[in-house]
Amino acid sequence: MDFVQLRAAMVAELEEQGIHDTAVLQAMNTVPRELFVPEEYLEHAYDNGPIPLPTKQTISQPFVVALMLVALKLKPHFNLLEIGTGSGYAAAVASLLVRQVHTIERQEKLVPYAKTRLNQLGYANIAVHLGDGTLGWPAAAPYDAIVVAAGGPAVPASLRDQLGENGRLIMPVGSYKKQKLRLVWRRADGRFGQKTLTPVRFVPLIGSEGWAEGD
Ligand code: SAH
């Protein structure tokens, strides 16, 4: 399989679907998605759809990864927090667009999986943490951007509070199985603006400011 060609075709498809941010497209044309998918899904690495991970989780659809990163208006000096490391794919893409990525995963099994890959591939500006991401990662706050890769009933207050001035957060908000992307930003007066974007389907955000386990 010619992964370079498949990657370029995926990026061309993203452009056709309305992603025009050249930095995001370039990053997605760089990260080897085939190295983040479980081996049995290798031939689907560049399909524009989600891919199953161990422990019933999924690697998000490339279009949705792109859409969320574009909405955050990332800049090279940004400190970014991701909730839901999963395979580490989205963190790898984001790491090419910002100074530092902190990413949190609650499933103990998935953390070494992501860490090993990211280290082997030489992504030096990503810190992978094990924990409940609904509480954020206060030690490295404030963040210029926060991306939540799992769907919750509301935007956790802890995450909102860890946004810096003009910081932007994007997260799927809705029911256990169906959500809409919600964009939240901290204004200069300290208050928050918000906007609801497109419908999506993410795995549930489970934690003290998300869904209860087994909901
Ligand atoms: N960004 C990932 C896809 C993530 S799927 C990738 O590119 O592969 C969503 C992930 O969020 C799952 O791995 C799930 O275990 C994790 N998750 C759910 N609730 C969480 C929480 N409260 N804190 C951290 N991770 C959480």
Side-chain angles (χ1 to χ4, degrees):
M1 251 176 292
D2 182 348
F3 289 119
V4 173
Q5 202 184 330
L6 289 172
R7 196 177 307 134
M10 174 190 80
V11 169
E13 195 182 326
L14 294 175
E15 260 189 289
E16 274 167 34
Q17 289 182 297
I19 305 291
H20 300 303
D21 183 315
T22 48
V24 169
L25 292 170
Q26 170 77 41
M28 295 196 62
N29 209 358
T30 305
V31 176
R33 189 166 159 95
E34 71 275 15
L35 301 182
F36 291 86
V37 308
E39 229 177 298
E40 61 269 37
Y41 292 98
L42 207 53
E43 59 183 306
H44 298 291
Y46 289 96
D47 293 2
N48 199 356
I51 294 178
L53 282 175
T55 71
K56 284 204 211 153
Q57 304 303 321
T58 57
I59 306 184
S60 309
Q61 182 189 359
F63 176 69
V64 178
V65 173
L67 200 65
M68 291 173 94
L69 294 178
V70 171
L72 290 172
K73 298 195 169 152
L74 301 177
K75 297 210 174 78
H77 67 272
F78 272 17
N79 182 30
L80 177 142
L81 177 68
E82 179 194 40
I83 315 304
T85 314
S87 67
Y89 173 74
V93 174
S95 79
L96 299 178
L97 298 163
V98 301
R99 178 179 55 81
Q100 178 69 41
V101 174
H102 287 274
T103 179
I104 314 176
E105 173 56 56
R106 68 178 283 273
Q107 298 256 14
E108 211 165 344
K109 257 197 191 166
L110 291 177
V111 171
Y113 179 87
K115 262 192 182 163
T116 308
R117 255 164 202 77
L118 293 169
N119 284 339
Q120 280 171 351
L121 291 167
Y123 292 97
N125 60 338
I126 306 177
V128 182
H129 308 286
L130 172 67
D132 175 5
T134 65
L135 302 173
W137 195 259
Y143 301 98
D144 305 292
I146 300 179
V147 55
V148 185
V155 174
S158 300
L159 292 184
R160 240 181 37 176
D161 292 345
Q162 288 171 38
L163 276 179
E165 192 177 319
N166 297 318
R168 292 160 80 87
L169 171 154
I170 191 155
M171 167 177 169
V173 175
S175 68
Y176 201 69
K177 293 214 163 133
K178 275 168 72 175
Q179 312 89 21
K180 282 183 180 162
L181 288 181
R182 169 92 46 91
L183 183 67
V184 172
W185 60 94
R186 185 195 283 273
R187 303 191 313 214
D189 64 6
R191 299 175 64 173
F192 294 93
Q194 66 167 51
K195 199 160 121 182
T196 298
L197 310 171
T198 183
V200 285
R201 280 170 192 270
F202 273 78
V203 296
L205 178 72
I206 295 171
S208 61
E209 294 185 43
W211 300 106
E213 200 157 2
D215 266 0

